[in-house]
Amino acid sequence: MNPELEQYLLDRGATHDEVRRARSEGWLTLLAIDRGLSGQPAVYSRAEVAQRSGVDPEVSVRLWRALGFPDVPEGAPVFSEESVNVLRTLQVRVEAWFMRRNGSRSEAVDALVQQVRALSIGMARVAEVLSDSFVDSIDAGRELGLDDEALAAIYIDNLDWPSVAELLDYVLRLQLRDAVWRKLATEDSSATRPTLAVGFLDLVGYTALSQELEDDELGALVTRFEALTHDTIAELGGRVVKTIGDEVMFVSESPEVAAAIALRLTERTEADEVLPVARGGLAHGSVIAREGDYYGPVVNLAHRLVEVAYPGTILASTELHDAIGDDPAFAWGRSRDRKIRDIGRVGTWPLRAGTGEVAR
């Protein structure tokens, strides 16, 4: 066996028995990835990591669950020294919040759990994307005839985690800076109920199409849709909230920008040779902001409007129509009252492109 590879694994907590088994059973590359990302051996149980970090055991369990992982068995050595250090850091954060806000300790813990949960949700999506690249490169190596040991050696030679960590740090700081400016550089600094234009766009006939396509074809279609929506929304000045398969949710402080995004997305999907035609729904008003997502009647209305829109069209609420006014960049069809599921009768306006340009 490659002595450098073996030493790499042993230095990062793998046992001689694990290395032998991984080599004989064909999961040496997986072990290299696991040890490369872990960095330190798992030596502490759930109770031990709480004791060493000084964090209440129940709080440590809540934080672990907030990361999205199930409870670990009692006594199982799952946590490393890094786990202890992270918990200590989080404990300091609780103490600082408690002293600063003069609230209860339970409120401080609740706030921390919420932050950890939000961060985990975002990082889980990033991990899925990064893991796809890992798997694709390993599959490509296998197709070239490389064995498991050779792939593991290539992995440890080419993993540049500091660059990935630097990118994550940079992106998070950019996003945090933008979010703070949005929430504080306004007359009303209460960011829990901002006034926003909310948009949804989905692909018509996606469910039926997904039954016909092979897995790799469906994956390529979803990737293409995500790329088109993210690029278009960013290009025009909106923010992507989330994508779920064939649907994207976006927001903007400007109703005009949200309307322009919906129009541009329907145009681009219609012109795309791969994607089905899209339809959109828009609403405007006060929303509830929580953990990077938005809730409330305005969001529900925008989502319901996309469900009743015809293929290739966009339906807007009366509030969004009124907020835009007579901007020449937009044209409107005839207003119609519709009975919307779980909401009741509301005024809706078909949105079309006008003759002017959108004011930015």
Side-chain angles (χ1 to χ4, degrees):
M1 180 178 175
N2 183 328
E4 292 183 2
L5 172 59
E6 183 175 20
Q7 192 60 50
Y8 174 90
L9 296 172
L10 295 175
D11 288 344
R12 284 157 181 78
T15 65
H16 286 282
D17 182 58
E18 277 183 314
V19 174
R20 283 193 296 269
R21 285 178 49 225
R23 188 184 184 197
S24 64
E25 296 172 10
W27 48 279
L28 202 57
T29 302
L30 178 58
L31 182 61
I33 294 173
D34 178 79
R35 291 295 87 202
L37 294 177
S38 299
Q40 298 179 351
V43 293
Y44 300 126
S45 67
R46 184 174 65 184
E48 289 170 336
V49 76
Q51 181 181 23
R52 292 180 66 86
S53 64
V55 175
D56 183 273
E58 291 186 6
V59 173
S60 69
V61 170
R62 288 187 63 191
L63 291 170
W64 183 248
R65 291 172 181 169
L67 287 173
F69 296 105
D71 293 348
V72 299
E74 287 289 347
V78 174
F79 303 99
S80 67
E81 193 64 37
E82 184 179 28
S83 308
V84 174
N85 294 334
V86 169
L87 271 180
R88 282 179 183 150
T89 300
L90 294 178
Q91 176 77 347
V92 170
R93 193 168 180 82
V94 168
E95 296 295 340
W97 193 95
F98 176 73
M99 296 296 294
R100 205 167 50 239
R101 298 290 293 272
N102 197 29
S104 69
R105 188 173 299 276
S106 64
E107 289 176 330
V109 172
D110 289 344
L112 179 61
V113 169
Q114 179 180 343
Q115 292 171 8
V116 171
R117 184 183 299 114
L119 187 62
S120 177
I121 290 171
M123 289 297 101
R125 179 71 183 276
V126 174
E128 286 295 329
V129 174
L130 293 178
S131 66
D132 285 343
S133 67
F134 279 30
V135 173
D136 290 344
S137 62
I138 291 170
D139 288 344
R142 286 171 176 163
E143 290 178 1
L144 293 174
L146 299 178
D147 62 21
D148 199 40
E149 185 172 330
L151 288 171
I154 291 173
Y155 166 79
I156 66 170
D157 287 340
N158 290 278
L159 177 65
D160 184 13
W161 183 253
S163 295
V164 177
E166 184 179 1
L167 175 61
L168 294 176
D169 173 74
Y170 175 71
V171 172
L172 180 57
R173 284 187 288 109
L174 279 182
Q175 293 286 359
L176 181 58
R177 187 178 68 183
D178 181 64
V180 169
W181 270 97
R182 289 198 313 269
K183 294 177 179 180
L184 294 183
T186 60
E187 293 182 3
D188 179 11
S189 62
S190 175
T192 57
R193 292 192 69 91
T195 297
L196 294 173
V198 180
F200 284 88
L201 184 117
D202 72 10
L203 299 175
V204 179
Y206 172 84
T207 301
L209 184 63
S210 65
Q211 303 299 317
E212 302 173 4
L213 297 177
E214 298 292 335
D215 289 348
D216 57 341
E217 295 175 321
L218 183 61
L221 185 147
V222 171
T223 299
R224 192 181 186 99
F225 178 65
E226 288 186 350
L228 184 146
T229 53
H230 279 67
D231 289 350
T232 301
I233 292 167
E235 171 193 335
L236 294 178
R239 300 193 304 279
V240 175
V241 177
K242 57 188 173 185
T243 54
I244 306 174
D246 66 325
E247 183 177 74
V248 62
M249 175 185 174
F250 59 92
V251 296
S252 174
E253 285 79 10
S254 165
E256 292 83 0
V257 167
I261 289 170
L263 288 168
R264 188 70 59 83
L265 284 174
T266 52
E267 291 171 2
R268 288 181 173 176
T269 52
E270 187 171 3
D272 193 279
E273 296 178 354
V274 175
L275 296 175
V277 67
R279 58 185 179 176
L282 296 167
H284 182 259
S286 176
V287 299
I288 300 169
R290 184 176 176 83
E291 297 183 7
D293 207 341
Y294 299 92
Y295 307 89
V298 171
V299 177
N300 295 340
L301 177 56
H303 194 250
R304 291 289 183 250
L305 290 178
V306 79
E307 294 177 345
V308 299
Y310 291 117
T313 68
I314 301 160
L315 278 182
S317 70
T318 296
E319 291 77 12
L320 187 129
H321 167 270
D322 294 347
I324 289 178
D326 57 359
D327 190 320
F330 308 102
W332 302 94
R334 180 179 297 177
S335 174
R336 174 184 168 188
D337 284 350
R338 293 173 180 266
K339 186 175 182 180
I340 304 298
R341 179 166 58 94
D342 298 331
I343 295 178
R345 288 203 166 273
V346 298
T348 62
W349 293 79
L351 171 66
R352 301 174 187 135
T355 57
E357 294 186 357
V358 179
R360 294 287 298 278

